[in-house]
Amino acid sequence: MLRKLVVSLLFFALCVLGNYSFSQSLDDLKRNYQKAIESNDKNSAINNLNQIANYYWERNQHNEAIQSFEELIKLAREIGNRNAQRVAFQNIAMIYSDIGEYQKSENSLKENLNLNRELNDKAGITAAYTNLATACMNQKKYDQAAQYAEEALKYAKELNNLNLIRNCLGLLVEIYQRAKNAEKQAEYFSQYSAIDKHIKQQEISQVQQEKQQIEVQKAIKEKELAEKEQKLEKTQETLKQVELITKEQQLRLELQEAEKQRIKEQAEAELRRQALIRNFMLIVIVIVLLFSSLLIVQIRKTKLANKLLAEKNEEIERQKNEIEKQSEKIKASIQYARRIQAAVLPPHEYFEKLFPDSFIFFKPRDIVSGDFYWVTEKGDKTIVTVADCTGHGVPGAFMSMLGTAFLSEIVNKIVENKHISELQAGEILTELRRYIINSLHQKGDQDEAKDGMDIVLVIIDHKNHRLQYAGANNPLYMVRNKELMVFDPDPMPIAYQKEMSEKFKTIEIDYQPNDTIYLSTDGYVDQFGGQHGRKFMIKRFKQLLVEINSMTMRKQYDALDKTMEAWRGNYFQVDDMLIVGIRLIPTIPQREISREMDWSDKTILIVEDVEANYLYMTEALRRTGVAMLHARTGHEAIELISHTQVDLILMDINMPGIDGFETTRQLRSRNITIPIIAQTAMKIDNIEKLCSEAGFSDLIIKPVRLQTFIETIQKHLM
């Protein structure tokens, strides 16, 4: 209790002195400083200058504060007070950092570092290197920043201070993240995570040890209480014995009184002895009563303590229930936000109607997502967008809803004010950026929100087999004949940026049947995993797109999903993932099909294992009214022909199992004389001769014009 009283009095005295010091006006401080100079009391002058500088600093009068600290440094040098100098240099560096003059801040920190070295203050040296690294990072001098951070890490290790080591590693992670050095970032992030986990485990272990100590103390108290209760029981037994002895003595007195005359002297002696015994027993009884009272008081205190502990446990349980209820409410709100966001995104049925051969790989990190996709149809053109908004979860979801609303408004405005033919991908992104900047009131101020989005936008012109692409930091991938083409975006986001072009550029591309385009955010390639806990990276992603391109779009989705699950393993998903894949199957211009071609009484068997090719042919033949059957292999075709009547067969040459040549030979060997037209995109020497020998009626080389395709079939159906 005495120690606590002394500490409280010291704390009160410091508070009074502190309040007195800070309550002084600027004029009082300047007068005290002048008196100290006149009396040549430089230590007092330094103290007054420090208060004057802090007075200016607190009121954001930065220049006056810097001048006062510099005058303090001059006086400190005159009397050799290096500690005052290093503190002043550090304060000047902090002021320069506050006002964004990082180079001057760096210069002051170097002076601070030299003084810490002279004082051999390793903790101060570590802090100086850490501050220097931060100043260089703010100037984008990432190599110098990394060197300073490494020095800070070295001294932190010498001090064996795990918290300092963790802070230095965290600073290195941030430096390499800004420098876009993913490998170094991952390396230091791994070390940071390990030390952070170790520190947290130590803290948990300490809490557990304290809990165990409390349990041990509680057990000791309970044991002492039990011992005291046993002693109390023994005392009660003693009192009973005393009572019995007293009764016995009274009986003896009665007997002695009867024989008083005969043994008077003996009785008097006996009375004296009994008196001594009685006095002794009274003393014993008093002592026992006092001890019992103390024991009862202690028992009451213990019961009170147990009651208070039970009440505290009840309060903790109540707070825990409150937290759980609040958590459930927050989760329910986010689930509702998820339903709202799902309602804003285009339905999968609508997307599949526009693009029958496609997939949407969408894996939000949280319940709601900052990634979104958007699609709309305007005449013969379809606009598809995939975007990555700033942040995850609820903030990102709000940005995604802004993006979808603005895109709809911008596209409708262009169509209404101009024409569908005037739709330009770059113009849409330029307008979207203007909407975002105006809505978020972005002016380029240092403290304003840096919200925005990265986006890839494609306009598909089905009529002319062309597409337009524009991108903000997100590229467009196209796979054609197992070769990957990458179309680079503008290196700027949909947000305010100091150095940005006036407009986003539009890239026009002629596409061919079966070309596949992929629109993706950076979430897939940024996932950590593998043996070394590194990012998936863009190179591996490009290789994967080429490897899976020959699969159906459904199987491509499964391949992307299984590959990522195997890569991540037990690693946490760090970002939303969104990839949209579209196989470009040209729509069929109806004017190229003659109205006189009514083949409603005919049946054609299409033998084709590639789903996209089959869809293209069914679309080409749909307006003729012809009935169409589908076989994916040669065996299926032979089985189908054995029990079904058809008028013509379109046979792909390159198929799994038996190819088109062998299938046709087997059909001809069964005396099947119906026309069989070969179709292939492969370059084969003497293809006409090989087809004739196998028994084909005609040959179509892909890609082929629609009119040629229809005329070739018509020739064999008439």
Side-chain angles (χ1 to χ4, degrees):
M1 292 295 293
L2 180 60
R3 182 180 178 184
K4 289 185 177 178
L5 180 61
V6 172
V7 171
S8 299
L9 290 172
L10 286 174
F11 180 76
F12 175 77
L14 288 172
C15 290
V16 171
L17 291 173
N19 289 333
Y20 171 77
S21 175
F22 284 111
S23 66
Q24 288 182 299
S25 67
L26 180 63
D27 292 336
D28 291 338
L29 292 172
K30 288 184 176 180
R31 279 195 295 271
N32 292 339
Y33 167 69
Q34 193 60 39
K35 288 179 183 179
I37 291 296
E38 291 173 358
S39 61
N40 200 28
D41 187 355
K42 293 185 178 179
N43 283 322
S44 296
I46 288 172
N47 182 47
N48 282 288
L49 270 176
N50 185 59
Q51 295 183 56
I52 291 168
N54 280 293
Y55 181 93
Y56 284 130
W57 191 0
E58 291 171 359
R59 289 158 178 77
N60 295 324
Q61 294 177 259
H62 300 114
N63 292 332
E64 291 81 354
I66 292 171
Q67 290 175 2
S68 299
F69 278 127
E70 289 177 344
E71 185 64 28
L72 185 154
I73 291 170
K74 291 180 182 178
L75 289 176
R77 283 175 175 165
E78 291 176 4
I79 63 175
N81 189 339
R82 290 182 291 183
N83 188 56
Q85 293 177 53
R86 70 169 178 172
V87 173
F89 275 119
Q90 183 173 353
N91 290 339
I92 290 172
M94 292 171 66
I95 294 172
Y96 278 130
S97 179
D98 289 344
I99 61 178
E101 296 188 19
Y102 300 114
Q103 182 58 53
K104 292 183 179 179
S105 174
E106 181 182 351
N107 295 337
S108 297
L109 287 170
K110 289 179 179 178
E111 295 290 343
N112 171 261
L113 175 62
N114 292 334
L115 288 164
N116 277 304
R117 285 174 173 165
E118 292 176 6
L119 293 170
N120 196 27
D121 184 354
K122 291 186 177 181
I125 293 171
T126 306
Y129 273 125
T130 303
N131 293 331
L132 278 167
T134 303
C136 289
M137 180 176 66
N138 289 329
Q139 300 174 69
K140 298 183 178 181
K141 296 170 14 181
Y142 299 121
D143 292 341
Q144 187 65 43
Q147 292 179 7
Y148 284 135
E150 290 283 2
E151 287 295 324
L153 179 61
K154 182 181 74 174
Y155 279 96
K157 289 179 178 178
E158 290 182 7
L159 293 169
N160 197 25
N161 188 320
L162 288 179
N163 285 317
L164 279 179
I165 293 171
R166 178 179 61 180
N167 293 341
C168 292
L169 290 170
L171 180 58
L172 282 164
V173 171
E174 183 177 359
I175 291 168
Y176 285 117
Q177 181 183 17
R178 292 194 184 184
K180 297 183 178 179
N181 188 334
E183 184 174 357
K184 282 286 187 179
Q185 178 190 351
E187 176 185 343
Y188 285 106
F189 180 79
S190 176
Q191 298 180 37
Y192 171 84
S193 299
I195 292 180
D196 183 63
K197 181 179 179 182
H198 177 72
I199 291 173
K200 290 179 179 176
Q201 288 177 344
Q202 285 185 332
E203 293 172 350
I204 293 171
S205 176
Q206 184 176 357
V207 170
Q208 292 176 343
Q209 289 177 0
E210 292 175 355
K211 183 178 179 181
Q212 290 174 356
Q213 290 176 358
I214 292 171
E215 294 290 340
V216 170
Q217 291 176 359
K218 182 180 177 182
I220 292 171
K221 291 291 184 182
E222 291 176 349
K223 182 178 180 182
E224 290 177 352
L225 181 61
E227 291 175 351
K228 289 176 181 178
E229 288 177 349
Q230 291 177 357
K231 289 180 180 179
L232 181 60
E233 291 176 357
K234 291 180 179 179
T235 302
Q236 291 174 346
E237 291 178 0
T238 303
L239 287 173
K240 290 180 180 179
Q241 292 177 359
V242 169
E243 185 178 358
L244 292 173
I245 292 171
T246 303
K247 289 181 178 180
E248 182 181 352
Q249 293 302 327
Q250 289 176 350
L251 181 61
R252 287 180 181 180
L253 285 173
E254 291 176 356
L255 293 172
Q256 287 175 358
E257 283 293 329
E259 297 178 348
K260 185 176 180 182
Q261 294 303 323
R262 187 174 57 84
I263 49 175
K264 183 178 180 179
E265 293 179 356
Q266 184 180 357
E268 290 177 352
E270 183 67 22
L271 286 172
R272 286 195 297 270
R273 188 177 69 83
Q274 291 296 328
L276 287 173
I277 294 173
R278 187 168 56 252
N279 290 336
F280 175 76
M281 292 306 298
L282 287 172
I283 292 171
V284 171
I285 291 170
V286 170
I287 292 173
V288 169
L289 289 173
L290 287 174
F291 181 77
S292 300
S293 299
L294 291 173
L295 185 61
I296 291 169
V297 170
Q298 186 63 35
I299 291 171
R300 288 178 178 176
K301 287 183 178 179
T302 303
K303 289 182 177 179
L304 180 60
N306 290 336
K307 181 180 179 181
L308 292 173
L309 181 61
E311 290 176 354
K312 186 173 291 186
N313 289 335
E314 289 177 0
E315 178 65 19
I316 292 171
E317 187 65 26
R318 187 187 64 78
Q319 292 178 358
K320 180 181 177 183
N321 292 334
E322 287 291 331
I323 292 171
E324 289 177 352
K325 290 179 181 178
Q326 191 66 23
S327 176
E328 288 297 324
K329 289 181 180 179
I330 294 171
K331 188 174 181 181
S333 297
I334 297 175
Q335 289 287 1
Y336 185 71
R338 180 184 184 181
R339 291 196 294 273
I340 295 174
Q341 187 181 32
V344 172
L345 293 175
H348 278 233
E349 296 79 7
Y350 177 63
F351 198 91
E352 290 176 355
K353 178 181 177 183
L354 295 177
F355 303 108
D357 205 13
S358 64
F359 69 79
I360 300 174
F361 181 86
F362 189 26
K363 300 283 185 180
R365 192 193 77 170
D366 303 311
I367 297 175
V368 289
S369 171
D371 288 5
F372 72 91
Y373 62 92
W374 179 82
V375 63
T376 188
E377 188 176 25
K378 297 295 179 184
D380 292 332
K381 295 183 178 180
T382 306
I383 304 171
V384 187
T385 296
V386 165
D388 180 2
C389 298
T390 305
H392 312 285
V394 175
F398 277 120
M399 282 298 298
S400 71
M401 294 177 70
L402 272 180
T404 56
F406 287 161
L407 282 167
S408 297
E409 183 177 345
I410 290 166
V411 171
N412 290 332
K413 183 178 71 173
I414 293 173
V415 172
E416 290 173 4
N417 295 340
K418 299 179 181 180
H419 191 266
I420 295 173
S421 60
E422 297 298 322
L423 285 171
Q424 292 290 319
E427 181 183 356
I428 294 173
L429 291 195
T430 303
E431 280 296 295
L432 179 60
R433 180 177 63 185
R434 185 174 66 82
Y435 272 51
I436 292 294
I437 290 173
N438 291 339
S439 299
L440 301 181
H441 307 292
Q442 295 179 341
K443 298 179 181 178
D445 297 335
Q446 186 175 1
D447 57 344
E448 72 180 10
K450 306 300 181 184
D451 298 312
M453 62 185 73
D454 296 335
I455 192 168
V456 49
L457 185 143
V458 173
I459 301 177
I460 303 173
D461 185 349
H462 302 285
K463 179 179 178 181
N464 298 308
H465 298 178
R466 292 177 64 80
L467 62 83
Q468 296 179 21
Y469 155 70
N473 287 332
N474 279 359
L476 172 68
Y477 304 101
M478 175 183 283
V479 178
R480 176 183 295 167
N481 297 328
K482 296 186 178 181
E483 291 186 4
L484 177 67
M485 293 178 281
V486 181
F487 300 95
D488 295 325
D490 286 301
M492 53 185 178
I494 302 296
Y496 182 86
Q497 183 173 292
K498 289 185 178 180
E499 297 180 2
M500 60 181 180
S501 302
E502 182 179 352
K503 296 180 179 180
F504 286 89
K505 66 176 180 289
T506 299
I507 298 175
E508 295 195 359
I509 308 162
D510 291 322
Y511 70 83
Q512 299 177 6
N514 296 327
D515 284 351
T516 309
I517 58 173
Y518 299 93
L519 296 76
S520 172
T521 63
D522 61 0
Y524 196 92
V525 301
D526 282 347
Q527 299 300 325
F528 287 94
Q531 294 182 352
H532 305 291
R534 297 180 178 177
K535 288 186 177 181
F536 193 80
M537 301 302 289
I538 192 69
K539 182 179 179 182
R540 190 177 284 106
F541 180 62
K542 290 178 180 178
Q543 291 173 349
L544 180 60
L545 291 181
V546 175
E547 290 172 2
I548 68 175
N549 182 252
S550 60
M551 302 178 183
T552 63
M553 301 307 280
R554 177 65 242 181
K555 290 184 178 179
Q556 288 190 39
Y557 176 96
D558 294 337
L560 287 168
D561 191 23
K562 291 178 181 177
T563 300
M564 181 48 61
E565 288 300 316
W567 173 259
R568 280 182 43 235
N570 295 325
Y571 281 86
F572 176 72
Q573 182 175 334
V574 298
D575 198 358
D576 303 319
M577 292 185 286
L578 175 56
I579 305 169
V580 172
I582 300 172
R583 186 99 65 186
L584 296 171
I585 306 171
T587 58
I588 305 304
Q590 301 306 315
R591 66 176 182 275
E592 294 189 19
I593 300 177
S594 171
R595 293 181 181 177
E596 299 176 357
M597 293 181 183
D598 182 7
W599 299 340
S600 57
D601 60 339
K602 305 293 184 183
T603 301
I604 293 178
L605 171 62
I606 302 173
V607 187
E608 174 63 66
D609 64 316
V610 178
E611 193 73 19
N613 292 341
Y614 170 72
L615 291 173
Y616 176 78
M617 286 185 280
T618 56
E619 181 67 20
L621 295 169
R622 182 168 55 85
R623 293 295 180 180
T624 66
V626 70
M628 287 173 278
L629 302 175
H630 184 201
R632 292 174 175 79
T633 65
H635 291 298
E636 286 185 18
I638 294 169
E639 177 64 24
L640 193 60
I641 289 296
S642 65
H643 57 76
T644 305
Q645 180 68 35
V646 300
D647 298 288
L648 183 139
I649 300 174
L650 289 171
M651 178 77 69
D652 184 28
I653 291 177
N654 184 26
M655 291 187 299
I658 60 173
D659 59 17
F661 291 117
E662 181 59 29
T663 303
T664 302
R665 290 191 190 96
Q666 292 190 27
L667 289 173
R668 294 304 188 203
S669 68
R670 300 185 182 191
N671 296 321
I672 295 174
T673 59
I674 58 176
I676 304 177
I677 300 175
Q679 46 160 329
T680 182
M682 299 175 61
K683 294 182 180 180
I684 303 175
D685 294 337
N686 300 322
I687 182 65
E688 293 84 359
K689 181 180 179 182
L690 293 173
C691 287
S692 177
E693 292 174 351
F696 283 106
S697 306
D698 213 329
L699 170 66
I700 296 176
I701 302 293
K702 296 181 288 189
V704 65
R705 288 182 65 251
L706 175 63
Q707 193 62 33
T708 303
F709 177 72
I710 296 296
E711 289 174 355
T712 303
I713 295 173
Q714 183 182 26
K715 181 173 61 175
H716 294 281
L717 282 179
M718 301 304 292

